[in-house]
């Protein structure tokens, strides 16, 4: 999209990736897992106890919930990403605290072993991790390194004999930190550059056992939400880690960490789609039964708008989650931008949906008995951990700019040899002239979108054309300094998020219409409604970047922020002067 193109093969038709056997396996799991969370797990009690009840932990182990994606040959259920997403959606619908316990274990805790582990490492660790006999944790965050993962201070020094590393340092806010026996730990290691002979610190990933000695943890943190999950500091004091426990190559730890996080983000969107599904049911039940002013409140326009927007946000999030899981199952390796988008969108959508549910329930929603305030508290962390939404927006925009920049550099090279690249140059010049004249560049979705969604498809194409043109304008204007233009990057990222959402709902609704699903006409309305408003947001965001008033607006924001910081708080005095 950043280049003004659509890779329709990746998103159309909406993917159906489960084999008959996989669908049957999933069908056999959905019932028991749903019943377990309805009949055994007590989310309110877990929240009060600030731990997952022992009977719940044992039941989850018996269900195989700790090894969903570990191969069957190593004791797990061997589920695909799409199967995993469906079960995670059920967990998210009922108890996000339990979801974090399970997710910290397998979505990031031992995911590095699945992705980068040697056969020996997998054989040694995965069987016990699959049964829940041992719990895993992911240790990256430190007091001085949150979003800036490259600035970690934990160190690992290779012994003179070359048999082990000595690990020293501490990690904070580690989910499962007080429960885990196996840790994926990231530390700086001095490595010699073979070409220059220079020794530099690089991050290396390690599999660390608590049984190695020197591994301790602090008390459970007191948190706003997800109280059932264990969060603690983890300390490493002269821990001897065998060289066989390096995960991936020495010095490649940053890549390992980012791949683990990118690989697991789709699961967050799936879980939050489940959360929204449950919350919307609560809101609808209240709206359908509450009478005010002589009528059920669902008949009032104010409530109808809230319920409709809640349904839209859930539909988009769910569509993203299963699009990405399917792409991954089909072997896609370049999905990190889409995964980041799904995390940003899902976490913000779930917060909005839950907030609106409380508003629909009124005073009742504010009370603990309704069970919604706990969900609200649980949700707040999702915009922060596994990549804050602010950093992920920069990630989305800058990755896209990098791809668009590569295309521009190719054109610049082509200009140096115009005769040899005449066809390419004519095509690109023509495309830009049509875009500037408002005729579009010729991209189309008509061949892949259901005919009844043609107006939404045209909106999407026009928005993509505008988006690509704006990206190119900003690149030409700022060049490499675009990295410092965070006001611009945020608006580009927000537009990319809206565009991706438009494409995935067009794909999903088209499939429903083509296959004659009973909900097809409802999904068509969801899709059309989303595309109407999203395309307007894209146009507003992008056209504003060309305006002098926007540059002044950004300048004002910088000035206000600077003044507040210099004043150590609000600058203006109380209006009473007292």
């Amino acid at each position: 999209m950043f280049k003004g193109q659509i890779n329709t093969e990746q998103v159309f038709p909406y993917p159906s990736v489960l084999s008959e056997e996989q669908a049957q396996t999933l069908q056999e799991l959905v019932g028991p897992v749903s019943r377990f969370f309805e009949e055994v797990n007590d989310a309110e009690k877990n929240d009060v106890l600030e731990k997952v009840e022992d009977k719940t932990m044992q039941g989850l182990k018996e269900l195989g919930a700790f090894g969903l994606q570990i191969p069957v040959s190593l004791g797990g259920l061997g589920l695909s990403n799409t199967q995993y997403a469906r079960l995670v959606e059920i967990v998210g619908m009922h108890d996000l605290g339990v979801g974090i316990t399970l997710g910290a274990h397998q979505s990031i805790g031992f995911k590095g072993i699945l992705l980068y582990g040697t056969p020996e490492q997998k054989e040694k660790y995965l069987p016990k991790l699959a049964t829940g006999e041992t719990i895993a944790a992911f240790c990256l965050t430190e007091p001085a390194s949150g979003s800036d993962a490259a600035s970690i201070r934990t160190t690992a020094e290779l012994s003179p004999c070359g048999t082990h590393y000595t690990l020293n340092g501490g990690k904070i806010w580690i989910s499962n930190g007080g429960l885990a026996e196996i840790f994926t730990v990231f530390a700086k290691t001095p490595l010699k550059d073979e070409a220059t002979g220079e020794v530099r610190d690089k991050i290396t990933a390690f599999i660390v056992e608590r049984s190695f000695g020197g591994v301790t943890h602090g008390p459970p943190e007191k948190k706003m939400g997800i109280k059932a999950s264990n969060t603690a500091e983890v300390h490493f004091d002269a821990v001897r880690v065998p060289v066989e426990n390096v995960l991936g190559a020495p010095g490649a730890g940053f890549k390992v960490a980012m791949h683990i996080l990118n690989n697991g983000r789709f699961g967050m969107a799936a879980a939050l789609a489940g959360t929204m599904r449950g919350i919307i049911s609560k809101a609808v039940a209240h709206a359908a039964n509450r009478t005010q002013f002589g009528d059920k409140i669902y008949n009032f326009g104010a409530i109808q708008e809230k319920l409709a927007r809640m349904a839209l946000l859930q539909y988009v999030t769910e569509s993203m989650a299963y699009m990405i899981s399917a792409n991954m199952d089909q072997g896609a390796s370049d999905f990190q931008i889409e995964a980041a988008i799904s995390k940003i969108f899902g976490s913000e959508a779930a917060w909005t949906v839950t907030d609106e549910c409380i508003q629909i329930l009124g005073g009742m929603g504010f009370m603990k008995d309704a069970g919604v305030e706990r969900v609200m508290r649980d949700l707040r962390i999702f915009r922060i951990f596994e990549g804050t939404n602010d950093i992920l927006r920069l990630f989305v925009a800058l990755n896209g700019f990098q791809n668009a920049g590569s295309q521009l550099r190719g054109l610049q090279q082509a200009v140096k040899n115009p005769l040899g690249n005449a066809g390419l140059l004519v095509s690109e010049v023509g495309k830009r002239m049509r875009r500037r004249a408002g005729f579009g560049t010729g991209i189309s979705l008509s061949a892949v979108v259901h005919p009844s969604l043609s107006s939404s498809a045209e909106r999407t194409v026009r928005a993509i054309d505008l988006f690509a043109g704006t990206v190119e304008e900003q690149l030409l204007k700022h060049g490499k300094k675009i990295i410092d233009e965070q006001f611009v990057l945020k608006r580009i990222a927000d537009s990319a998020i809206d565009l991706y959402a438009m494409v995935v709902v067009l794909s999903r609704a088209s499939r429903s219409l083509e296959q004659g699903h009973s909900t097809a006409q409802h999904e068509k309305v969801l899709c059309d409604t989303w595309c109407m408003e999203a395309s307007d947001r894209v146009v507003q965001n992008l056209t504003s970047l060309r305006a002098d008033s926007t540059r002044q607006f950004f300048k004002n924001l910088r000035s206000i922020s600077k003044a507040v910081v210099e004043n150590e708080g609000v600058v203006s005095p109380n209006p009473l002067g007292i």
Side-chain angles (χ1 to χ4, degrees):
M1 291 192 302
F2 280 81
K3 298 176 183 178
Q5 302 164 4
I6 306 174
N7 181 7
T8 54
E9 293 79 11
Q10 188 173 332
V11 285
F12 292 96
Y14 195 81
S16 299
V17 294
L18 295 181
S19 67
E20 190 174 331
E21 183 180 352
Q22 287 175 321
Q24 179 64 33
T25 298
L26 185 58
Q27 190 67 49
E28 291 170 359
L29 288 168
V30 164
V33 171
S34 296
R35 284 193 297 275
F36 179 85
F37 277 94
E38 290 161 5
E39 300 170 6
V40 178
N41 183 67
D42 187 333
E44 288 294 338
K45 192 169 183 182
N46 291 338
D47 185 62
V48 171
L49 292 173
E50 299 191 2
K51 61 168 286 190
V52 181
E53 283 192 282
D54 291 342
K55 67 174 183 178
T56 298
M57 287 291 279
Q58 185 56 39
L60 290 168
K61 291 173 184 179
E62 291 170 2
L63 282 170
F66 283 87
L68 296 178
Q69 292 195 279
I70 291 176
V72 174
S73 61
L74 293 172
L77 296 184
L79 300 186
S80 68
N81 292 300
T82 299
Q83 291 172 305
Y84 174 79
R86 182 65 186 96
L87 296 184
V88 165
E89 188 172 355
I90 296 170
V91 179
M93 183 173 178
H94 292 91
D95 193 337
L96 288 168
V98 170
I100 296 302
T101 301
L102 293 172
H105 171 71
Q106 58 198 319
S107 181
I108 56 175
F110 67 70
K111 181 60 72 75
I113 302 176
L114 273 178
L115 295 175
Y116 289 97
T118 64
E120 293 77 17
Q121 289 170 340
K122 292 178 180 180
E123 287 281 352
K124 181 176 182 180
Y125 293 111
L126 291 180
K128 288 186 177 181
L129 289 165
T131 63
E133 183 179 342
T134 56
I135 303 296
F138 180 84
C139 296
L140 178 62
T141 303
E142 298 181 7
S145 66
S147 297
D148 183 9
S151 65
I152 62 172
R153 296 179 181 175
T154 297
T155 62
E157 295 274 353
L158 184 63
S159 64
C161 62
T163 61
H164 66 273
Y165 287 84
T166 301
L167 181 67
N168 285 287
K171 305 290 184 176
I172 61 171
W173 305 326
I174 304 303
S175 295
N176 291 347
L179 307 177
E181 294 293 329
I182 305 298
F183 303 86
T184 299
V185 183
F186 299 88
K188 283 191 172 178
T189 54
L191 289 173
K192 184 177 180 181
D193 188 316
E194 296 300 328
T196 64
E198 185 181 1
V199 176
R200 305 178 77 176
D201 283 341
K202 291 199 170 183
I203 298 174
T204 298
F206 298 91
I207 304 169
V208 178
E209 301 177 29
R210 190 181 288 272
S211 62
F212 287 163
V215 181
T216 57
H217 66 269
E221 300 283 2
K222 295 296 182 181
K223 308 188 294 278
M224 174 182 176
I226 56 165
K227 293 185 176 184
S229 66
N230 176 275
T231 309
E233 294 183 4
V234 180
H235 304 282
F236 306 97
D237 184 13
V239 181
R240 289 166 62 101
V241 183
V243 293
E244 294 80 18
N245 280 45
V246 170
L247 189 57
F254 185 80
K255 177 184 175 183
V256 171
M258 295 304 104
H259 193 188
I260 290 170
L261 293 170
N262 288 334
N263 192 275
R265 285 192 178 113
F266 78 94
M268 199 178 295
L272 295 173
T275 303
M276 286 184 270
R277 189 176 283 272
I279 288 295
I280 290 170
S281 293
K282 285 179 181 285
V284 168
H286 181 80
N289 290 287
R290 176 72 164 168
T291 299
Q292 291 286 278
F293 308 107
D295 203 353
K296 301 294 185 184
I297 65 171
Y298 75 88
N299 287 315
F300 298 126
I303 301 300
Q304 290 171 347
E305 181 167 353
K306 289 181 188 298
L307 291 174
R309 290 188 181 280
M310 292 160 75
L312 282 167
L313 292 171
Q314 195 279 338
Y315 185 72
V316 174
T317 304
E318 192 173 65
S319 301
M320 285 184 180
Y322 290 100
M323 175 68 78
I324 297 164
S325 70
N327 291 159
M328 293 169 68
D329 286 337
Q330 290 169 328
S333 58
D334 187 12
F335 54 80
Q336 63 266 29
I337 294 179
E338 292 90 338
I341 285 173
S342 74
K343 189 270 188 184
I344 296 167
F345 188 93
S347 60
E348 294 175 2
W351 178 266
T352 299
V353 165
T354 305
D355 184 53
E356 288 288 53
C357 176
I358 291 174
Q359 195 68 19
I360 290 170
L361 268 63
M364 189 180 301
F366 195 69
M367 301 301 151
K368 269 189 175 292
D369 286 349
V372 188
E373 63 83 31
R374 169 182 53 79
V375 178
M376 194 82 183
R377 287 186 288 104
D378 288 348
L379 283 171
R380 188 59 189 85
I381 191 60
F382 283 83
R383 285 185 281 161
I384 299 171
F385 66 3
E386 293 195 34
T388 71
N389 287 9
D390 312 272
I391 294 297
L392 287 180
R393 276 186 165 85
L394 299 180
F395 171 80
V396 168
L398 289 171
N399 265 272
F401 270 117
Q402 186 177 28
N403 289 333
S406 298
Q407 183 184 42
L408 271 180
R409 284 192 295 276
L411 283 175
Q412 288 168 346
Q413 290 299 316
V415 168
K416 295 177 182 178
N417 180 19
L419 293 178
N421 297 283
L424 172 64
L425 292 173
V426 168
S427 172
E428 291 298 327
V429 169
K431 184 188 296 183
R432 283 156 180 77
M433 290 178 67
R434 288 194 301 274
R435 184 182 287 151
R436 288 196 178 95
F439 296 130
T441 58
I443 59 172
S444 174
L445 291 172
S446 60
V448 291
V449 167
H450 191 273
S452 67
L453 295 170
S454 59
S455 62
S456 291
E458 288 166 10
R459 285 176 182 272
T460 303
V461 166
R462 287 196 299 271
I464 290 171
D465 267 334
L466 175 62
F467 180 71
T470 306
V471 165
E472 189 170 293
E473 287 171 11
Q474 296 299 319
L475 263 179
L476 292 171
K477 179 179 179 180
H478 299 290
K480 291 181 179 179
K481 292 184 178 179
I482 190 66
I483 193 171
D484 300 318
E485 298 294 328
Q486 292 194 4
F487 293 118
V488 172
L489 294 173
K490 179 185 181 298
R491 285 150 182 82
I492 292 293
D494 285 342
S495 297
I497 292 165
D498 268 331
L499 286 170
Y500 183 63
M502 291 165 76
V503 170
V504 295
V505 296
L506 275 168
S507 179
R508 182 178 175 187
S510 289
R511 185 183 72 173
S512 294
L513 287 161
E514 286 157 7
Q515 296 181 355
H517 291 182
S518 60
T519 60
Q521 288 304 314
H522 177 69
E523 291 184 55
K524 177 187 181 303
V525 175
L526 288 171
C527 175
D528 283 338
T529 307
W530 177 263
C531 289
M532 285 178 194
E533 203 165 44
S535 62
D536 287 345
R537 278 194 302 269
V538 171
V539 171
Q540 171 61 31
N541 268 324
L542 299 180
T543 54
S544 72
L545 292 178
R546 297 169 175 168
D548 291 338
S549 59
T550 301
R551 284 189 286 276
Q552 184 60 50
F553 177 68
F554 293 165
K555 186 177 179 181
N556 290 352
L557 292 178
R558 287 191 184 94
S559 174
I560 294 167
S561 174
K562 182 181 178 183
V564 170
V565 171
E566 288 175 348
N567 197 61
E568 298 182 356
V570 175
V571 177
S572 48
N574 182 279
L576 298 179
I578 300 173

